[in-house]
Amino acid sequence: MITLDGKRILVTGAAAGMGRAIAELAAGAGARVLATDRNAEALTTLDVDGVETATLDVTDKAAIEALFDVEPPFDGLVNTAGWVFHGTLTETGDEDWARSFQINVDSIFHTIRAALPGMIGAGGGTIVNMASIASSMKGFHFRAAYAASKAAVIGLTKSVAVDYMDDGIRCHAVCPGTIRSPSLIQRIEALAETMGGYEEAEAYFAGRQPMGRLGEPDEIGKFVCFLLSDAATFATGQAYVIDGGILA
Ligand SMILES: NC(=O)c1ccc[n+]([C@@H]2O[C@H](COP(=O)([O-])OP(=O)(O)OC[C@H]3O[C@@H](n4cnc5c(N)ncnc54)[C@H](O)[C@@H]3O)[C@@H](O)[C@H]2O)c1
């Protein structure tokens, strides 16, 4: 069993889905967690020992910088907030493309840039960025902007790992398959309208995994906690696939 005793960890997009699972599991493993999300109301339901909450929209660069200015250094930063645009390339408008990069990539650039001085000053730390197998790893229908943005997350992750290795920084990307979360449920509901029913639409998403099911947020959260722990100190700069066998 890994421990995160004594570690302070900031999680973005922590009110729901994988971010929430990561915040809860990290606190359960002994960390003090600052769970942030743009949805202040949803954060109020995150009532767990070891978890404090703060409203943070990751597209607000000034708010990110203000938060890191006042907070003591974090041992761990988990960039979970993200957004899926559904469309082929020709269905993607300029705004859809820009928003995909703003939420999925620029946000991580800004949080890492704000977090690094404190982390380095404290002797090091761990950064985990939520990418996806819909990225440089595999094409999926209707994910042009999303996959391009998540491929950028992998590139950014590797660059940070290499540039700050001597400063004690480890930087990872995690690439999930299809995980049951509020936004996935919305995507299932949208597909259900064209497929004739929720069960058919859920079966479509579940069937993408050779394991024949959706992943659960905890199955990603446990792996992220391992990466944040001192059990993973020889690992950095990798994009870890947890996808129910899609890329097996
Ligand atoms: N669910 C999947 O199948 C899947 C697969 C691969 C990768 N991912 C990625 O995992 C991450 C988490 O997705 P999920 O599906 O677990 O959760 P989700 O999308 O259901 O919820 C994420 C949380 O992020 C918050 N959020 C959204 N935009 C934000 C912003 N601008 N600032 C701060 N918070 C914001 C939401 O309020 C919500 O609480 C995303 O980066 C997503 O792209 C998801």
Side-chain angles (χ1 to χ4, degrees):
M1 187 61 190
I2 62 109
T3 176
L4 296 174
D5 266 347
K7 294 194 187 293
R8 278 189 85 235
I9 294 165
L10 185 144
V11 184
T12 72
M18 288 182 263
R20 186 182 182 104
I22 293 162
E24 291 177 343
L25 288 164
R32 283 171 299 138
V33 175
L34 183 60
T36 68
D37 201 285
R38 70 171 172 192
N39 187 336
E41 196 184 329
L43 277 176
T44 62
T45 65
L46 196 48
D47 185 15
V48 177
D49 274 356
V51 177
E52 285 177 35
T53 61
T55 308
L56 180 69
D57 184 331
V58 294
T59 63
D60 186 343
K61 183 176 78 153
I64 290 170
E65 290 171 351
L67 185 144
F68 281 95
D69 274 352
V70 298
E71 287 290 333
F74 290 94
D75 303 290
L77 165 66
V78 185
N79 288 303
T80 325
W83 181 63
V84 178
F85 175 73
H86 179 93
T88 62
L89 186 139
T90 49
E91 292 163 353
T92 304
D94 288 350
E95 279 189 14
D96 307 319
W97 181 266
R99 190 167 151 75
S100 299
F101 277 77
Q102 186 191 20
I103 298 181
N104 296 343
V105 188
D106 299 1
S107 62
I108 296 182
F109 167 54
H110 292 135
T111 58
I112 295 177
R113 194 173 60 178
L116 271 178
M119 267 188 183
I120 292 170
T126 308
I127 299 164
V128 182
N129 300 320
M130 199 59 73
S132 174
I133 56 164
S135 58
S136 46
M137 294 190 167
K138 180 168 171 51
F140 287 86
H141 289 298
F142 309 114
R143 292 289 179 269
Y146 180 75
S149 71
K150 292 299 190 181
V153 171
I154 295 172
L156 183 62
T157 298
K158 287 181 175 286
S159 299
V160 170
V162 168
D163 280 338
Y164 299 99
M165 209 174 285
D166 292 346
D167 297 304
I169 304 295
R170 292 180 292 115
C171 189
H172 314 278
V174 172
C175 301
T178 319
I179 309 297
R180 192 188 309 279
S181 71
S183 67
L184 178 76
I185 289 168
Q186 284 172 8
R187 292 191 286 281
I188 294 174
E189 285 169 352
L191 187 65
E193 287 175 20
T194 55
M195 287 188 83
Y198 187 91
E199 280 178 15
E200 288 85 345
E202 180 171 336
Y204 165 78
F205 278 108
R208 299 202 302 197
Q209 281 70 226
M211 286 187 186
R213 65 174 177 89
L214 300 175
E216 300 297 331
D218 277 14
E219 294 180 284
I220 305 299
K222 287 174 190 163
F223 192 79
V224 171
C225 287
F226 167 74
L227 292 176
L228 290 166
S229 79
D230 292 342
T233 41
F234 204 45
T236 194
Q238 288 302 312
Y240 296 101
V241 173
I242 310 176
D243 68 347
I246 295 174
L247 297 185

PDB file of all heavy atoms in Angstrom, residues 75-111:
ATOM      1  N   ASP A  75       3.895  19.537  -3.109  1.00  0.00           N
ATOM      2  CA  ASP A  75       4.733  18.384  -3.486  1.00  0.00           C
ATOM      3  C   ASP A  75       4.201  17.738  -4.761  1.00  0.00           C
ATOM      4  O   ASP A  75       4.949  17.078  -5.481  1.00  0.00           O
ATOM      5  CB  ASP A  75       4.719  17.338  -2.365  1.00  0.00           C
ATOM      6  CG  ASP A  75       5.175  17.922  -1.046  1.00  0.00           C
ATOM      7  OD1 ASP A  75       6.364  18.227  -0.928  1.00  0.00           O
ATOM      8  OD2 ASP A  75       4.318  18.109  -0.152  1.00  0.00           O
ATOM      9  N   GLY A  76       2.912  17.908  -4.997  1.00  0.00           N
ATOM     10  CA  GLY A  76       2.299  17.290  -6.173  1.00  0.00           C
ATOM     11  C   GLY A  76       1.301  18.232  -6.832  1.00  0.00           C
ATOM     12  O   GLY A  76       0.598  18.979  -6.150  1.00  0.00           O
ATOM     13  N   LEU A  77       1.289  18.193  -8.158  1.00  0.00           N
ATOM     14  CA  LEU A  77       0.311  18.965  -8.939  1.00  0.00           C
ATOM     15  C   LEU A  77      -0.324  17.999  -9.928  1.00  0.00           C
ATOM     16  O   LEU A  77       0.390  17.346 -10.702  1.00  0.00           O
ATOM     17  CB  LEU A  77       1.020  20.096  -9.700  1.00  0.00           C
ATOM     18  CG  LEU A  77       0.215  20.765 -10.826  1.00  0.00           C
ATOM     19  CD1 LEU A  77      -0.995  21.513 -10.262  1.00  0.00           C
ATOM     20  CD2 LEU A  77       1.112  21.735 -11.614  1.00  0.00           C
ATOM     21  N   VAL A  78      -1.643  17.884  -9.886  1.00  0.00           N
ATOM     22  CA  VAL A  78      -2.345  16.992 -10.817  1.00  0.00           C
ATOM     23  C   VAL A  78      -3.278  17.836 -11.680  1.00  0.00           C
ATOM     24  O   VAL A  78      -4.234  18.437 -11.187  1.00  0.00           O
ATOM     25  CB  VAL A  78      -3.150  15.911 -10.061  1.00  0.00           C
ATOM     26  CG1 VAL A  78      -3.761  14.931 -11.068  1.00  0.00           C
ATOM     27  CG2 VAL A  78      -2.273  15.173  -9.066  1.00  0.00           C
ATOM     28  N   ASN A  79      -2.980  17.885 -12.961  1.00  0.00           N
ATOM     29  CA  ASN A  79      -3.764  18.672 -13.918  1.00  0.00           C
ATOM     30  C   ASN A  79      -4.819  17.773 -14.557  1.00  0.00           C
ATOM     31  O   ASN A  79      -4.533  17.054 -15.511  1.00  0.00           O
ATOM     32  CB  ASN A  79      -2.839  19.243 -14.996  1.00  0.00           C
ATOM     33  CG  ASN A  79      -1.973  20.360 -14.466  1.00  0.00           C
ATOM     34  OD1 ASN A  79      -2.483  21.360 -13.956  1.00  0.00           O
ATOM     35  ND2 ASN A  79      -0.656  20.199 -14.561  1.00  0.00           N
ATOM     36  N   THR A  80      -6.022  17.824 -14.004  1.00  0.00           N
ATOM     37  CA  THR A  80      -7.076  16.923 -14.482  1.00  0.00           C
ATOM     38  C   THR A  80      -8.115  17.629 -15.345  1.00  0.00           C
ATOM     39  O   THR A  80      -8.716  16.998 -16.213  1.00  0.00           O
ATOM     40  CB  THR A  80      -7.837  16.275 -13.294  1.00  0.00           C
ATOM     41  OG1 THR A  80      -6.946  16.048 -12.237  1.00  0.00           O
ATOM     42  CG2 THR A  80      -8.454  14.956 -13.712  1.00  0.00           C
ATOM     43  N   ALA A  81      -8.363  18.913 -15.103  1.00  0.00           N
ATOM     44  CA  ALA A  81      -9.439  19.609 -15.825  1.00  0.00           C
ATOM     45  C   ALA A  81      -9.225  19.484 -17.334  1.00  0.00           C
ATOM     46  O   ALA A  81      -8.111  19.656 -17.831  1.00  0.00           O
ATOM     47  CB  ALA A  81      -9.479  21.082 -15.420  1.00  0.00           C
ATOM     48  N   GLY A  82     -10.293  19.191 -18.041  1.00  0.00           N
ATOM     49  CA  GLY A  82     -10.180  19.052 -19.494  1.00  0.00           C
ATOM     50  C   GLY A  82     -11.545  19.138 -20.141  1.00  0.00           C
ATOM     51  O   GLY A  82     -12.579  19.158 -19.462  1.00  0.00           O
ATOM     52  N   TRP A  83     -11.522  19.170 -21.485  1.00  0.00           N
ATOM     53  CA  TRP A  83     -12.791  19.343 -22.224  1.00  0.00           C
ATOM     54  C   TRP A  83     -12.717  18.594 -23.544  1.00  0.00           C
ATOM     55  O   TRP A  83     -11.691  18.625 -24.233  1.00  0.00           O
ATOM     56  CB  TRP A  83     -13.014  20.836 -22.500  1.00  0.00           C
ATOM     57  CG  TRP A  83     -14.273  21.133 -23.226  1.00  0.00           C
ATOM     58  CD1 TRP A  83     -15.550  20.901 -22.795  1.00  0.00           C
ATOM     59  CD2 TRP A  83     -14.393  21.739 -24.524  1.00  0.00           C
ATOM     60  NE1 TRP A  83     -16.450  21.323 -23.745  1.00  0.00           N
ATOM     61  CE2 TRP A  83     -15.779  21.844 -24.807  1.00  0.00           C
ATOM     62  CE3 TRP A  83     -13.473  22.205 -25.467  1.00  0.00           C
ATOM     63  CZ2 TRP A  83     -16.262  22.380 -25.998  1.00  0.00           C
ATOM     64  CZ3 TRP A  83     -13.955  22.752 -26.646  1.00  0.00           C
ATOM     65  CH2 TRP A  83     -15.340  22.836 -26.902  1.00  0.00           C
ATOM     66  N   VAL A  84     -13.815  17.922 -23.890  1.00  0.00           N
ATOM     67  CA  VAL A  84     -13.906  17.178 -25.150  1.00  0.00           C
ATOM     68  C   VAL A  84     -14.768  17.954 -26.139  1.00  0.00           C
ATOM     69  O   VAL A  84     -15.945  18.206 -25.864  1.00  0.00           O
ATOM     70  CB  VAL A  84     -14.562  15.792 -24.921  1.00  0.00           C
ATOM     71  CG1 VAL A  84     -14.700  15.052 -26.253  1.00  0.00           C
ATOM     72  CG2 VAL A  84     -13.777  14.960 -23.923  1.00  0.00           C
ATOM     73  N   PHE A  85     -14.201  18.318 -27.291  1.00  0.00           N
ATOM     74  CA  PHE A  85     -15.035  18.801 -28.399  1.00  0.00           C
ATOM     75  C   PHE A  85     -15.294  17.627 -29.334  1.00  0.00           C
ATOM     76  O   PHE A  85     -14.374  16.904 -29.719  1.00  0.00           O
ATOM     77  CB  PHE A  85     -14.369  19.955 -29.162  1.00  0.00           C
ATOM     78  CG  PHE A  85     -15.176  20.349 -30.367  1.00  0.00           C
ATOM     79  CD1 PHE A  85     -16.362  21.041 -30.204  1.00  0.00           C
ATOM     80  CD2 PHE A  85     -14.796  19.955 -31.646  1.00  0.00           C
ATOM     81  CE1 PHE A  85     -17.159  21.359 -31.302  1.00  0.00           C
ATOM     82  CE2 PHE A  85     -15.585  20.274 -32.745  1.00  0.00           C
ATOM     83  CZ  PHE A  85     -16.770  20.978 -32.571  1.00  0.00           C
ATOM     84  N   HIS A  86     -16.567  17.452 -29.710  1.00  0.00           N
ATOM     85  CA  HIS A  86     -16.977  16.338 -30.570  1.00  0.00           C
ATOM     86  C   HIS A  86     -17.082  16.843 -32.005  1.00  0.00           C
ATOM     87  O   HIS A  86     -17.938  17.683 -32.303  1.00  0.00           O
ATOM     88  CB  HIS A  86     -18.336  15.814 -30.085  1.00  0.00           C
ATOM     89  CG  HIS A  86     -18.887  14.676 -30.908  1.00  0.00           C
ATOM     90  ND1 HIS A  86     -18.671  13.349 -30.581  1.00  0.00           N
ATOM     91  CD2 HIS A  86     -19.630  14.679 -32.042  1.00  0.00           C
ATOM     92  CE1 HIS A  86     -19.274  12.586 -31.476  1.00  0.00           C
ATOM     93  NE2 HIS A  86     -19.858  13.364 -32.370  1.00  0.00           N
ATOM     94  N   GLY A  87     -16.195  16.372 -32.891  1.00  0.00           N
ATOM     95  CA  GLY A  87     -16.321  16.769 -34.285  1.00  0.00           C
ATOM     96  C   GLY A  87     -15.115  16.328 -35.100  1.00  0.00           C
ATOM     97  O   GLY A  87     -14.006  16.178 -34.568  1.00  0.00           O
ATOM     98  N   THR A  88     -15.361  16.096 -36.399  1.00  0.00           N
ATOM     99  CA  THR A  88     -14.241  15.869 -37.317  1.00  0.00           C
ATOM    100  C   THR A  88     -13.544  17.206 -37.552  1.00  0.00           C
ATOM    101  O   THR A  88     -14.025  18.260 -37.104  1.00  0.00           O
ATOM    102  CB  THR A  88     -14.751  15.350 -38.667  1.00  0.00           C
ATOM    103  OG1 THR A  88     -15.600  16.371 -39.227  1.00  0.00           O
ATOM    104  CG2 THR A  88     -15.534  14.055 -38.522  1.00  0.00           C
ATOM    105  N   LEU A  89     -12.451  17.186 -38.297  1.00  0.00           N
ATOM    106  CA  LEU A  89     -11.714  18.436 -38.523  1.00  0.00           C
ATOM    107  C   LEU A  89     -12.586  19.495 -39.201  1.00  0.00           C
ATOM    108  O   LEU A  89     -12.597  20.657 -38.784  1.00  0.00           O
ATOM    109  CB  LEU A  89     -10.467  18.153 -39.350  1.00  0.00           C
ATOM    110  CG  LEU A  89      -9.550  19.357 -39.509  1.00  0.00           C
ATOM    111  CD1 LEU A  89      -8.089  18.957 -39.381  1.00  0.00           C
ATOM    112  CD2 LEU A  89      -9.782  20.093 -40.821  1.00  0.00           C
ATOM    113  N   THR A  90     -13.343  19.080 -40.227  1.00  0.00           N
ATOM    114  CA  THR A  90     -14.148  20.083 -40.942  1.00  0.00           C
ATOM    115  C   THR A  90     -15.363  20.540 -40.133  1.00  0.00           C
ATOM    116  O   THR A  90     -15.971  21.555 -40.463  1.00  0.00           O
ATOM    117  CB  THR A  90     -14.608  19.546 -42.316  1.00  0.00           C
ATOM    118  OG1 THR A  90     -15.166  18.243 -42.125  1.00  0.00           O
ATOM    119  CG2 THR A  90     -13.455  19.475 -43.294  1.00  0.00           C
ATOM    120  N   GLU A  91     -15.693  19.805 -39.095  1.00  0.00           N
ATOM    121  CA  GLU A  91     -16.787  20.231 -38.209  1.00  0.00           C
ATOM    122  C   GLU A  91     -16.286  21.097 -37.055  1.00  0.00           C
ATOM    123  O   GLU A  91     -17.083  21.524 -36.210  1.00  0.00           O
ATOM    124  CB  GLU A  91     -17.507  18.996 -37.637  1.00  0.00           C
ATOM    125  CG  GLU A  91     -18.284  18.218 -38.690  1.00  0.00           C
ATOM    126  CD  GLU A  91     -18.645  16.802 -38.248  1.00  0.00           C
ATOM    127  OE1 GLU A  91     -18.187  16.355 -37.174  1.00  0.00           O
ATOM    128  OE2 GLU A  91     -19.383  16.131 -38.995  1.00  0.00           O
ATOM    129  N   THR A  92     -14.977  21.316 -37.006  1.00  0.00           N
ATOM    130  CA  THR A  92     -14.376  22.050 -35.886  1.00  0.00           C
ATOM    131  C   THR A  92     -14.218  23.516 -36.262  1.00  0.00           C
ATOM    132  O   THR A  92     -13.497  23.854 -37.210  1.00  0.00           O
ATOM    133  CB  THR A  92     -12.982  21.445 -35.548  1.00  0.00           C
ATOM    134  OG1 THR A  92     -13.147  20.046 -35.285  1.00  0.00           O
ATOM    135  CG2 THR A  92     -12.376  22.137 -34.343  1.00  0.00           C
ATOM    136  N   GLY A  93     -14.899  24.379 -35.529  1.00  0.00           N
ATOM    137  CA  GLY A  93     -14.759  25.811 -35.759  1.00  0.00           C
ATOM    138  C   GLY A  93     -13.506  26.357 -35.088  1.00  0.00           C
ATOM    139  O   GLY A  93     -12.909  25.697 -34.230  1.00  0.00           O
ATOM    140  N   ASP A  94     -13.124  27.574 -35.483  1.00  0.00           N
ATOM    141  CA  ASP A  94     -11.940  28.192 -34.883  1.00  0.00           C
ATOM    142  C   ASP A  94     -12.083  28.264 -33.361  1.00  0.00           C
ATOM    143  O   ASP A  94     -11.121  28.042 -32.621  1.00  0.00           O
ATOM    144  CB  ASP A  94     -11.737  29.614 -35.430  1.00  0.00           C
ATOM    145  CG  ASP A  94     -11.267  29.595 -36.875  1.00  0.00           C
ATOM    146  OD1 ASP A  94     -10.926  28.508 -37.382  1.00  0.00           O
ATOM    147  OD2 ASP A  94     -11.254  30.679 -37.507  1.00  0.00           O
ATOM    148  N   GLU A  95     -13.284  28.571 -32.907  1.00  0.00           N
ATOM    149  CA  GLU A  95     -13.487  28.706 -31.452  1.00  0.00           C
ATOM    150  C   GLU A  95     -13.377  27.359 -30.747  1.00  0.00           C
ATOM    151  O   GLU A  95     -12.866  27.274 -29.635  1.00  0.00           O
ATOM    152  CB  GLU A  95     -14.854  29.320 -31.156  1.00  0.00           C
ATOM    153  CG  GLU A  95     -14.847  30.816 -31.295  1.00  0.00           C
ATOM    154  CD  GLU A  95     -16.142  31.443 -30.799  1.00  0.00           C
ATOM    155  OE1 GLU A  95     -16.932  30.770 -30.118  1.00  0.00           O
ATOM    156  OE2 GLU A  95     -16.341  32.626 -31.116  1.00  0.00           O
ATOM    157  N   ASP A  96     -13.879  26.303 -31.400  1.00  0.00           N
ATOM    158  CA  ASP A  96     -13.804  24.963 -30.803  1.00  0.00           C
ATOM    159  C   ASP A  96     -12.342  24.536 -30.668  1.00  0.00           C
ATOM    160  O   ASP A  96     -11.923  23.950 -29.673  1.00  0.00           O
ATOM    161  CB  ASP A  96     -14.537  23.936 -31.677  1.00  0.00           C
ATOM    162  CG  ASP A  96     -15.955  24.365 -31.997  1.00  0.00           C
ATOM    163  OD1 ASP A  96     -16.627  24.896 -31.094  1.00  0.00           O
ATOM    164  OD2 ASP A  96     -16.382  24.190 -33.160  1.00  0.00           O
ATOM    165  N   TRP A  97     -11.574  24.840 -31.712  1.00  0.00           N
ATOM    166  CA  TRP A  97     -10.150  24.488 -31.708  1.00  0.00           C
ATOM    167  C   TRP A  97      -9.426  25.270 -30.602  1.00  0.00           C
ATOM    168  O   TRP A  97      -8.677  24.702 -29.791  1.00  0.00           O
ATOM    169  CB  TRP A  97      -9.554  24.822 -33.076  1.00  0.00           C
ATOM    170  CG  TRP A  97      -8.102  24.487 -33.212  1.00  0.00           C
ATOM    171  CD1 TRP A  97      -7.039  25.327 -33.000  1.00  0.00           C
ATOM    172  CD2 TRP A  97      -7.537  23.214 -33.566  1.00  0.00           C
ATOM    173  NE1 TRP A  97      -5.853  24.659 -33.201  1.00  0.00           N
ATOM    174  CE2 TRP A  97      -6.131  23.372 -33.556  1.00  0.00           C
ATOM    175  CE3 TRP A  97      -8.080  21.974 -33.895  1.00  0.00           C
ATOM    176  CZ2 TRP A  97      -5.253  22.313 -33.860  1.00  0.00           C
ATOM    177  CZ3 TRP A  97      -7.207  20.917 -34.200  1.00  0.00           C
ATOM    178  CH2 TRP A  97      -5.817  21.099 -34.176  1.00  0.00           C
ATOM    179  N   ALA A  98      -9.686  26.582 -30.567  1.00  0.00           N
ATOM    180  CA  ALA A  98      -8.992  27.431 -29.587  1.00  0.00           C
ATOM    181  C   ALA A  98      -9.373  27.030 -28.159  1.00  0.00           C
ATOM    182  O   ALA A  98      -8.516  26.955 -27.272  1.00  0.00           O
ATOM    183  CB  ALA A  98      -9.333  28.895 -29.838  1.00  0.00           C
ATOM    184  N   ARG A  99     -10.652  26.729 -27.958  1.00  0.00           N
ATOM    185  CA  ARG A  99     -11.112  26.359 -26.610  1.00  0.00           C
ATOM    186  C   ARG A  99     -10.508  25.016 -26.178  1.00  0.00           C
ATOM    187  O   ARG A  99     -10.154  24.834 -25.017  1.00  0.00           O
ATOM    188  CB  ARG A  99     -12.642  26.279 -26.637  1.00  0.00           C
ATOM    189  CG  ARG A  99     -13.285  26.152 -25.301  1.00  0.00           C
ATOM    190  CD  ARG A  99     -14.808  26.403 -25.430  1.00  0.00           C
ATOM    191  NE  ARG A  99     -15.561  25.684 -24.415  1.00  0.00           N
ATOM    192  CZ  ARG A  99     -15.626  26.032 -23.145  1.00  0.00           C
ATOM    193  NH1 ARG A  99     -14.991  27.101 -22.717  1.00  0.00           N
ATOM    194  NH2 ARG A  99     -16.329  25.321 -22.290  1.00  0.00           N
ATOM    195  N   SER A 100     -10.377  24.093 -27.127  1.00  0.00           N
ATOM    196  CA  SER A 100      -9.752  22.802 -26.796  1.00  0.00           C
ATOM    197  C   SER A 100      -8.337  23.017 -26.258  1.00  0.00           C
ATOM    198  O   SER A 100      -7.938  22.400 -25.266  1.00  0.00           O
ATOM    199  CB  SER A 100      -9.706  21.900 -28.034  1.00  0.00           C
ATOM    200  OG  SER A 100     -11.004  21.639 -28.503  1.00  0.00           O
ATOM    201  N   PHE A 101      -7.594  23.882 -26.933  1.00  0.00           N
ATOM    202  CA  PHE A 101      -6.216  24.125 -26.488  1.00  0.00           C
ATOM    203  C   PHE A 101      -6.180  24.984 -25.224  1.00  0.00           C
ATOM    204  O   PHE A 101      -5.331  24.787 -24.357  1.00  0.00           O
ATOM    205  CB  PHE A 101      -5.386  24.740 -27.625  1.00  0.00           C
ATOM    206  CG  PHE A 101      -4.864  23.668 -28.547  1.00  0.00           C
ATOM    207  CD1 PHE A 101      -5.700  23.062 -29.475  1.00  0.00           C
ATOM    208  CD2 PHE A 101      -3.567  23.210 -28.441  1.00  0.00           C
ATOM    209  CE1 PHE A 101      -5.247  22.028 -30.291  1.00  0.00           C
ATOM    210  CE2 PHE A 101      -3.099  22.181 -29.251  1.00  0.00           C
ATOM    211  CZ  PHE A 101      -3.937  21.587 -30.180  1.00  0.00           C
ATOM    212  N   GLN A 102      -7.118  25.922 -25.115  1.00  0.00           N
ATOM    213  CA  GLN A 102      -7.144  26.785 -23.928  1.00  0.00           C
ATOM    214  C   GLN A 102      -7.365  25.946 -22.664  1.00  0.00           C
ATOM    215  O   GLN A 102      -6.650  26.099 -21.670  1.00  0.00           O
ATOM    216  CB  GLN A 102      -8.267  27.811 -24.084  1.00  0.00           C
ATOM    217  CG  GLN A 102      -8.283  28.853 -22.985  1.00  0.00           C
ATOM    218  CD  GLN A 102      -9.566  29.685 -23.026  1.00  0.00           C
ATOM    219  OE1 GLN A 102     -10.586  29.285 -23.607  1.00  0.00           O
ATOM    220  NE2 GLN A 102      -9.500  30.844 -22.414  1.00  0.00           N
ATOM    221  N   ILE A 103      -8.371  25.053 -22.712  1.00  0.00           N
ATOM    222  CA  ILE A 103      -8.706  24.273 -21.504  1.00  0.00           C
ATOM    223  C   ILE A 103      -7.731  23.124 -21.291  1.00  0.00           C
ATOM    224  O   ILE A 103      -7.341  22.839 -20.161  1.00  0.00           O
ATOM    225  CB  ILE A 103     -10.149  23.724 -21.588  1.00  0.00           C
ATOM    226  CG1 ILE A 103     -11.139  24.892 -21.654  1.00  0.00           C
ATOM    227  CG2 ILE A 103     -10.461  22.818 -20.395  1.00  0.00           C
ATOM    228  CD1 ILE A 103     -12.591  24.479 -21.705  1.00  0.00           C
ATOM    229  N   ASN A 104      -7.318  22.459 -22.357  1.00  0.00           N
ATOM    230  CA  ASN A 104      -6.539  21.220 -22.195  1.00  0.00           C
ATOM    231  C   ASN A 104      -5.030  21.439 -22.163  1.00  0.00           C
ATOM    232  O   ASN A 104      -4.311  20.608 -21.601  1.00  0.00           O
ATOM    233  CB  ASN A 104      -6.870  20.240 -23.331  1.00  0.00           C
ATOM    234  CG  ASN A 104      -8.322  19.796 -23.291  1.00  0.00           C
ATOM    235  OD1 ASN A 104      -9.000  19.947 -22.285  1.00  0.00           O
ATOM    236  ND2 ASN A 104      -8.811  19.251 -24.395  1.00  0.00           N
ATOM    237  N   VAL A 105      -4.546  22.525 -22.768  1.00  0.00           N
ATOM    238  CA  VAL A 105      -3.088  22.693 -22.874  1.00  0.00           C
ATOM    239  C   VAL A 105      -2.598  23.978 -22.192  1.00  0.00           C
ATOM    240  O   VAL A 105      -1.718  23.922 -21.325  1.00  0.00           O
ATOM    241  CB  VAL A 105      -2.627  22.713 -24.351  1.00  0.00           C
ATOM    242  CG1 VAL A 105      -1.093  22.679 -24.428  1.00  0.00           C
ATOM    243  CG2 VAL A 105      -3.207  21.550 -25.131  1.00  0.00           C
ATOM    244  N   ASP A 106      -3.185  25.127 -22.575  1.00  0.00           N
ATOM    245  CA  ASP A 106      -2.712  26.389 -21.989  1.00  0.00           C
ATOM    246  C   ASP A 106      -2.814  26.339 -20.463  1.00  0.00           C
ATOM    247  O   ASP A 106      -1.944  26.833 -19.747  1.00  0.00           O
ATOM    248  CB  ASP A 106      -3.550  27.581 -22.484  1.00  0.00           C
ATOM    249  CG  ASP A 106      -3.476  27.768 -24.000  1.00  0.00           C
ATOM    250  OD1 ASP A 106      -2.790  26.971 -24.675  1.00  0.00           O
ATOM    251  OD2 ASP A 106      -4.125  28.707 -24.511  1.00  0.00           O
ATOM    252  N   SER A 107      -3.892  25.724 -19.982  1.00  0.00           N
ATOM    253  CA  SER A 107      -4.109  25.632 -18.528  1.00  0.00           C
ATOM    254  C   SER A 107      -2.931  24.941 -17.852  1.00  0.00           C
ATOM    255  O   SER A 107      -2.455  25.378 -16.796  1.00  0.00           O
ATOM    256  CB  SER A 107      -5.385  24.832 -18.264  1.00  0.00           C
ATOM    257  OG  SER A 107      -5.235  23.513 -18.773  1.00  0.00           O
ATOM    258  N   ILE A 108      -2.444  23.864 -18.472  1.00  0.00           N
ATOM    259  CA  ILE A 108      -1.347  23.089 -17.873  1.00  0.00           C
ATOM    260  C   ILE A 108      -0.034  23.880 -17.955  1.00  0.00           C
ATOM    261  O   ILE A 108       0.760  23.890 -17.013  1.00  0.00           O
ATOM    262  CB  ILE A 108      -1.244  21.709 -18.566  1.00  0.00           C
ATOM    263  CG1 ILE A 108      -2.518  20.904 -18.308  1.00  0.00           C
ATOM    264  CG2 ILE A 108      -0.016  20.961 -18.100  1.00  0.00           C
ATOM    265  CD1 ILE A 108      -2.510  19.504 -18.908  1.00  0.00           C
ATOM    266  N   PHE A 109       0.160  24.560 -19.068  1.00  0.00           N
ATOM    267  CA  PHE A 109       1.320  25.455 -19.194  1.00  0.00           C
ATOM    268  C   PHE A 109       1.319  26.455 -18.030  1.00  0.00           C
ATOM    269  O   PHE A 109       2.336  26.666 -17.356  1.00  0.00           O
ATOM    270  CB  PHE A 109       1.259  26.165 -20.553  1.00  0.00           C
ATOM    271  CG  PHE A 109       2.183  27.331 -20.713  1.00  0.00           C
ATOM    272  CD1 PHE A 109       3.549  27.216 -20.473  1.00  0.00           C
ATOM    273  CD2 PHE A 109       1.686  28.566 -21.124  1.00  0.00           C
ATOM    274  CE1 PHE A 109       4.392  28.309 -20.642  1.00  0.00           C
ATOM    275  CE2 PHE A 109       2.519  29.665 -21.287  1.00  0.00           C
ATOM    276  CZ  PHE A 109       3.878  29.535 -21.044  1.00  0.00           C
ATOM    277  N   HIS A 110       0.142  27.026 -17.759  1.00  0.00           N
ATOM    278  CA  HIS A 110       0.067  28.066 -16.727  1.00  0.00           C
ATOM    279  C   HIS A 110       0.222  27.490 -15.320  1.00  0.00           C
ATOM    280  O   HIS A 110       0.908  28.086 -14.482  1.00  0.00           O
ATOM    281  CB  HIS A 110      -1.244  28.845 -16.865  1.00  0.00           C
ATOM    282  CG  HIS A 110      -1.296  29.672 -18.108  1.00  0.00           C
ATOM    283  ND1 HIS A 110      -2.398  29.735 -18.943  1.00  0.00           N
ATOM    284  CD2 HIS A 110      -0.360  30.461 -18.698  1.00  0.00           C
ATOM    285  CE1 HIS A 110      -2.134  30.526 -19.968  1.00  0.00           C
ATOM    286  NE2 HIS A 110      -0.907  30.968 -19.842  1.00  0.00           N
ATOM    287  N   THR A 111      -0.407  26.348 -15.028  1.00  0.00           N
ATOM    288  CA  THR A 111      -0.278  25.811 -13.654  1.00  0.00           C
ATOM    289  C   THR A 111       1.148  25.334 -13.397  1.00  0.00           C
ATOM    290  O   THR A 111       1.694  25.579 -12.323  1.00  0.00           O
ATOM    291  CB  THR A 111      -1.261  24.647 -13.366  1.00  0.00           C
ATOM    292  OG1 THR A 111      -1.045  23.598 -14.321  1.00  0.00           O
ATOM    293  CG2 THR A 111      -2.707  25.097 -13.396  1.00  0.00           C
TER     294      THR A 111
END
